[in-house]
Amino acid sequence: MAPSFDWFANEKLEGTPVVVKMENPNWSMLELEDDLLLSGDKGREKNAKQLTWVLLLKAHKAAGCLASVASAMVGLTAAIRRRVSSGRTDANSSIGIDRNENPVVKIRFYNCIKFFLWLSVVLLGFEIIAYFKGWHFTTPHLHLQLLLPSPLGVQGLFDIMYSKWVLVRVNYLAPPLQFMINACIVLFLVQSVDRLVLCLGCFWIKLRGIKPVPKQVVRDIESNEGAENYFPMVLVQIPMCNEKEVYQTSIAAVCNLDWPMSKMLIQVLDDSSDPETQLLIKEEVNKWQLEGAPIVYRHRVLRDGYKAGNLKSAMNCSYVKEYEFVAIFDADFQPTPDFLKRTVPHFKDNEEVGLVQARWSFVNKDENLLTRLQNINLAFHFEVEQQVNGIFMNFFGFNGTAGVWRIKALEESGGWMERTTVEDMDIAVRAHLHGWKFVFLNDVECQCELPESYEAYVKQQHRWHSGPMQLFRLCLPDIAKSKISVWKKANLIFLFFLLRKLILPFYSFTLFCVILPMTMFIPEAQLPIWVVCYIPATMSFLNILPSPKSFPFIVPYLLFENTMSVTKFNAMISGLFQLGSAYEWVVTKKSGRSSEGDLLALVEKEPNHKRGISMPNLNAMEKEESQQQEKKKSPKKKKHNRIYTKELALAFLLLTAAARSLLSAQGIHFYFLLFQGVSFLVVGLDLIGEQVE
C-alpha cells in the first residue's frame, strides 16, 4: 500500500521523492509528473533529471508488461505442445464429443471442410505464382479488359492457364456465388432488424418501468391488506443424473425455501446410473428428512426419455393430484429462500397464466474466457429476448428450470413428451397453442453454473440447436391447425423457429466461414465491407449491452460467435433432417465450484433455521468418501483437453484466405479473416475453456 503524503503540500519539492518512489513504480510516475508541474521556475534545473527518472520508470513498467506477455506466450506454447503431443482429438469415438453422432455424416462434413482447405491451398499457390508473373488486378472489373486480345497477347503455358481460370471465374463461378452472397445478406439484414426490434422493446420496458405485477399485490395495495395468506400446494422437483458435484447445493437450497412445509413436497428425481452417486443422493435426502424437510427420493431403473421421461414418471404419482403448481430446478440451481413467494403469487386470480419463469444468474461467470462469453449470450437472452417476448407476446421458450408451472396447464397440453431433446421448449409451444400465457420475471434470479470446458459447452449447444429443429418438424402441423390468432402463428413459425433457430446459425456459418473465404479466390463476387465489419460490430454491441462489464470482450465475443456457428450449423442440420446425434441427450458436466461456498453462506444467513443445516459435515464426509474411492480404484474418466478437427481445419482455411486477400490489397477482409482464423485456431486447440494439466 502506498505511504501517506500529508506532508506533500507543506514542503517544497526538490526532486527528493524521485529516489524514494523507485520502490513502487505503479504510483511513482504520477507523483513525478506532479513534481514536474509544481516545481515552477526555481526547479527547472531539476526537470531534466526528473524527466530521466520518469522515462526510466516507464521503461521499467513496459519491461514488466513484456515479461508478462512473454510468460503468457511460453505458457501458450507449452499448452499447444501438450495438445499436439497427446494426440487426443474429437475424432476418437471413446472420448469424442460426438461419439453418438452418425459417423457417416460426421466424416462427410469434415471431409468437405478438408476438401475446401486443400483446394484453397492449391489456389493460393496458383495465385502467388500469377502475382509474381505480373497478374496484378486492382479491381475485378479490369479482368475482362486485360483478357481481351491485344497487341501484347498472352504468352506462356502458365499465362494461358491463368487466363482460362480468370474467364471461368468471371463467367461461371462469380454469378452463382454473388447470388448466394445477396441471399445471405438479405437473411442477415432480416435477422439484424429482428435483433434491433428486440433491443428497442427492451429499452421501452426499461424506460417505462414495465414489469409483471401480481393481481393480488395490486388489490392488496388498493385495500391496504396483507398478501401473506396465499400458500397453495406446490410440488418441487429436482431432476438429476450422475451429478454428484452439485446435488448437495440444490437439495440444500430447495429445502430452505420459505414456504409452509405442509404446503410443499420436494421430489429428488435421481436418474443416476452410478450406484455410488445414487447412494450419496439417497443419504442426503434421508438426512434432510430427519431435519423435518418434506422431501422424497425417487429413482428410475430404466432411463427412458431422459429428463422428459423422468419428469413424466414423477408426475404420474398418485399424490401429485393434491398439488396445484410444480416448480422445477436442475441439479446445479440454487433458488433463494423467497423464490416461491416471488413467483407463485403471479398465478393468483389469473387463471390464464400457465408458467412463471425466473432469470438465471451464474456463480462462475468470471472463471475463464469461455464463461465470460457465455454470460454475454445468456444475459442478452434473458434481459432482452425472454423479457420482451414475455411482456409483449405472453410467450417465450421455457428454459427447463427455475420456473413454476400450473399443473393444469401441463396436463391440458399433453404433459411431458420424450420425442425431442428440448422437452422444455416442446411443452411451452404446446401450452401456447392451448392458449396459456407465460410470465417472465427479470428481477427474480436463480443461481446456477456455466460449462467451464469447451467440451461440455459444445455438448450443450448441440442439444440446444438440434432439438428446436426436431420440434419444428413435429409441431408445424399442430401450429397450422391450432385456434390461436394468425399473428401468433406467424410469430411461432417465422420468428421463433425459422429466424432465430434456423436462419441465424445457417447464415453465420455460410456467410463468414464459407462464402467470405471463397470471395478471396473469386474476387469478382464481392462481399460489402459493411456486411463484414460494421453491422456485425453493431449487433455485438447490442448483444453486450445487458452485461456492460463485458465490454472489453466485445471483439472476442464477435469472433467466438462466428466460431461456434460450426457447431450450431451442424446441430441444426442434424435436427432438421433427423440424423443420429439429434436424439442424444448428454448431461452438461458440472464443476461444483459453488457448492461449498454457497452452503456456508446458507449457514451464515440462517444459523438457527428450523429445518437445520448439516452441510459442513456433509462436505467433510463427501471429501472422505471421495478420497476412499480414489484409493480403492482408479477414476472411470479423466478430463483431457483435446484437438477439435473441424475447427482446426476451418482455422487453416480462413488463414489461407487471409493470405490470398493480401494479393488483392483487401484490408478489412484480411484483418477479419486473420482474427477469425486465429479464433478458430484457439478453439480448435481447446485453449479457450478449462485447461487440464
Side-chain angles (χ1 to χ4, degrees), residues 463-482:
R463 175 165 54 87
W464 285 5
H465 287 82
S466 63
M469 290 297 96
Q470 293 176 284
L471 184 61
F472 178 65
R473 291 172 57 99
L474 296 172
C475 284
L476 187 58
D478 296 333
I479 296 174
K481 297 176 183 177
S482 65

Side-chain angles (χ1 to χ4, degrees), residues 1 53 68 75 84 127 148 191 216 229 246 306 322 340 351 502 529 585 647 651 666 691:
M1 186 170 180
W53 281 113
S68 300
V84 175
E127 294 290 345
L148 292 176
Q191 196 274 334
Q216 176 193 9
N229 298 323
V246 293
Y306 302 108
E322 303 175 4
L340 292 179
E351 297 297 326
L502 188 148
I529 293 179
W585 176 284
E647 286 79 359
Q666 300 184 16
Q691 300 300 302

